[in-house]
Amino acid sequence: MKQTAGLLRLAVSIAAAIMAVSANGQGTSQTGPGKAATLTPTNSAAAVERPATGTRRDTYPFRGTIARVDLEERTVILEGRQARRVIRVLETTRLEREGRPMTLETLKQGERVGGTLRRNAAGQEEATLVRVVATRVEEEGRAGRAPSRTAEGREES
């Protein structure tokens, strides 16, 4: 008997909330004894703005090996499998080597770099961040080194 009365009160509360919301788009609904929740456009599901699916990001990652640095044009040309990639380096671009700031003049051919970039209105790629990952000399040193063995006999690189 008590369950039936409780279910009946719940059904009446839900019906009242639905009628209040459908009447003017706003209203109150009983959420429990003495508690009321106000439905407003700011907390309703219809008012939540979500980004459209399929939208492009502002920035995206890149990585590669420097083929050439052009100081006059402020560009870095990366080697590619099929083509070279030209990336503009702006005054606002952050340049880092081992976590420390550096300048465009200190970038060298053969260094491996990564970072983030964006396309400008003309469609050119502009770097927002360039990090030196390794130089060819460092990579050759790692490649020529024999793998060490752990106490269990497994190889480590």
Side-chain angles (χ1 to χ4, degrees):
M1 185 72 156
K2 287 183 180 181
Q3 284 181 332
T4 306
L7 289 174
L8 184 59
R9 270 187 260 143
L10 178 63
V12 170
S13 295
I14 291 172
I18 291 171
M19 288 190 310
V21 170
S22 64
N24 64 1
Q26 291 184 347
T28 61
S29 66
Q30 286 290 38
T31 58
K35 296 180 183 173
T38 304
L39 299 175
T40 62
T42 57
N43 66 4
S44 69
V48 176
E49 288 187 38
R50 293 187 177 99
T53 57
T55 58
R56 296 177 72 180
R57 297 186 320 196
D58 290 339
T59 61
Y60 50 97
F62 76 93
R63 66 179 175 188
T65 303
I66 297 176
R68 191 173 61 132
V69 178
D70 187 339
L71 297 175
E72 289 179 18
E73 296 289 322
R74 292 196 58 85
T75 58
V76 174
I77 295 116
L78 301 180
E79 294 175 356
R81 290 186 182 121
Q82 298 173 354
R84 290 187 171 198
R85 186 174 190 178
V86 178
I87 298 174
R88 297 188 60 201
V89 179
L90 307 174
E91 293 293 329
T92 58
T93 301
R94 235 177 47 218
L95 297 161
E96 296 179 357
R97 181 188 314 267
E98 298 177 358
R100 295 186 202 112
M102 60 180 289
T103 62
L104 181 63
E105 290 79 13
T106 57
L107 284 175
K108 298 178 187 123
Q109 180 180 359
E111 289 182 314
R112 291 185 39 99
V113 294
T116 56
L117 51 84
R118 65 172 176 246
R119 289 203 182 269
N120 64 15
Q124 298 170 325
E125 293 179 322
E126 297 177 340
T128 56
L129 169 67
V130 177
R131 283 191 179 125
V132 175
V133 178
T135 63
R136 280 198 177 150
V137 173
E138 290 172 354
E139 288 176 349
E140 288 170 4
R142 276 189 236 133
R145 188 176 68 201
S148 62
R149 296 198 179 270
T150 63
E152 293 84 26
R154 294 186 309 234
E155 287 188 1
E156 285 186 332
S157 51

